[in-house]
Amino acid sequence: MRVISPRMDAQPLPIVRTVAALRAHVGAWRERGQTVALVPTMGALHEGHLSLVKMGRAQADRVVVSVFVNPTQFGRGEDFEAYPRDEMADADLLRGAQADIMYAPTPEEMYPAGFSTSITVGGVSEGLCGDFRPGHFAGVATVVAKLLTQSVPDVAIFGEKDYQQLMVIRRLVRDLDLAVEVLGAPIVRERDGLARSSRNAYLAAEERAKAAAMYAALKAAGARLLEGASVTDVEAQGRAALTAAGFGAIDYFEVRGEGDLARRGPGPIKGPSRVLAAAFLGRTRLIDNLAVANGG
Ligand code: PAF
């Protein structure tokens, strides 16, 4: 791992809008023998994203951060229009984090007229968010495949908060023989345990006060699993805890296999596992997860 030090050749952060311009930058770095990390984001950047940039800086000579609110991963009735966008604030944060390029393509650049390709990843896309957000992971897989072929990075970094997404992307990269190492970065949390997310901005004050109960429920579930409780009981108690804390609809509170998202239970866990939850506070859908590392 490289030691991170301020760059002597620090330049203003270029904001690049086209694939051709991105490739020109990356090509120039490649000619100098430099390695490249890609951090894909949808903007509305926060500490969680900055931890991904930091990991990128530690892994490669150059860091490209893409900022693109990808329409194809939002379902009908979801928050595509409302999704927070503040490109100048994002650029300031990325400058401070010493990213090398902000790649912010237009929708027309990403999806030119006549665009007709969609990548469906089976297996790990099914269940969990896949059941509640039809088409979501095909949208993610397609845009991530494009971002990877546009920037051709050595490493690409994704947050573990979207754990199922991370599994989908690992599968995509393996199945399509994409020559990139996919790294997952630990979840960054608020002081009370709430996982950092751009969607936290939607929470009203009274919802925000309840939101950390999701992490508390995950931790309680993890502890009970390690004591040998059955998956069926732990999942039921997790859902009850979210309801008691004031959450509305619960999409899932499930225990799955670490790395493959295979179903666990109904009895005690055998092998490393992850507890994953998705539930609504008002109109805001929160997701989070926790590794139960030494299960089995
Ligand atoms: O996690 C996200 O922000 C998005 O799903 C991603 C990976 C940038 C694809 O649009």
Side-chain angles (χ1 to χ4, degrees), residues 5-287:
S5 56
R7 297 234 172 78
M8 301 313 290
D9 62 343
Q11 299 287 320
L13 179 81
I15 300 179
V16 165
R17 306 274 178 203
T18 65
V19 178
L22 175 65
R23 287 195 172 139
H25 281 278
V26 173
W29 297 336
R30 292 279 181 218
E31 274 174 23
R32 282 182 245 151
Q34 294 177 328
T35 56
V36 179
L38 172 69
V39 177
T41 82
M42 297 204 300
L45 301 179
H46 50 69
E47 285 297 325
H49 297 111
L50 299 184
S51 77
L52 309 184
V53 178
K54 190 173 174 191
M55 189 182 264
R57 295 256 298 122
Q59 294 290 330
D61 299 311
R62 298 290 183 171
V63 180
V64 174
V65 180
S66 63
V67 172
F68 179 66
V69 184
N70 174 35
T72 67
Q73 68 186 76
F74 290 80
R76 220 174 286 134
E78 291 190 349
D79 56 342
F80 174 66
E81 300 297 342
Y83 198 84
R85 292 162 171 87
D86 189 343
E87 196 177 273
M88 285 308 110
D90 289 345
D92 281 346
L93 286 172
L94 293 180
R95 220 168 274 124
Q98 295 185 283
D100 291 282
I101 280 185
M102 174 164 141
Y103 173 47
T106 60
E108 296 72 28
E109 180 73 5
M110 190 60 85
Y111 298 115
F115 188 86
S116 313
T117 300
S118 176
I119 299 177
T120 302
V121 178
V124 289
S125 286
E126 290 153 19
L128 304 171
C129 287
D131 280 349
F132 293 91
R133 304 188 68 190
H136 170 67
F137 287 122
V140 170
T142 305
V143 81
V144 169
K146 285 176 65 72
L147 290 166
L148 292 174
T149 55
Q150 289 167 352
S151 58
V152 201
D154 300 276
V155 295
I157 302 169
F158 299 85
E160 284 191 357
K161 186 181 78 68
D162 298 296
Y163 188 73
Q164 188 177 17
Q165 168 175 282
L166 176 61
M167 297 302 103
V168 169
I169 290 162
R170 284 196 197 286
R171 188 75 258 165
L172 167 84
V173 163
R174 245 179 267 141
D175 289 356
L176 297 186
D177 303 311
L178 300 176
V180 59
E181 185 183 2
V182 175
L183 298 178
I187 298 172
V188 177
R189 298 184 179 281
E190 305 280 359
R191 289 170 74 90
D192 64 358
L194 175 64
R196 293 268 188 159
S197 165
S198 306
R199 290 190 167 98
N200 292 351
Y202 298 151
L203 294 170
E206 69 276 14
E207 293 166 343
R208 175 63 190 85
K210 298 171 183 166
M214 180 174 274
Y215 182 51
L218 291 170
K219 278 199 302 187
R224 296 211 62 237
L225 289 167
L226 291 176
E227 288 162 8
S230 79
V231 166
T232 307
D233 286 351
V234 166
E235 290 178 345
Q237 284 161 0
R239 285 192 295 272
L242 291 183
T243 302
F247 278 78
I250 298 167
D251 281 355
Y252 57 81
F253 191 101
E254 287 189 28
V255 184
R256 295 285 186 124
E258 177 77 15
D260 59 4
L261 294 179
R263 284 192 180 279
R264 289 279 191 256
I269 52 170
K270 296 186 184 74
S273 302
R274 218 163 248 262
V275 195
L276 304 103
F280 283 83
L281 270 176
R283 292 166 59 86
T284 306
R285 185 176 186 270
L286 298 181
I287 65 170

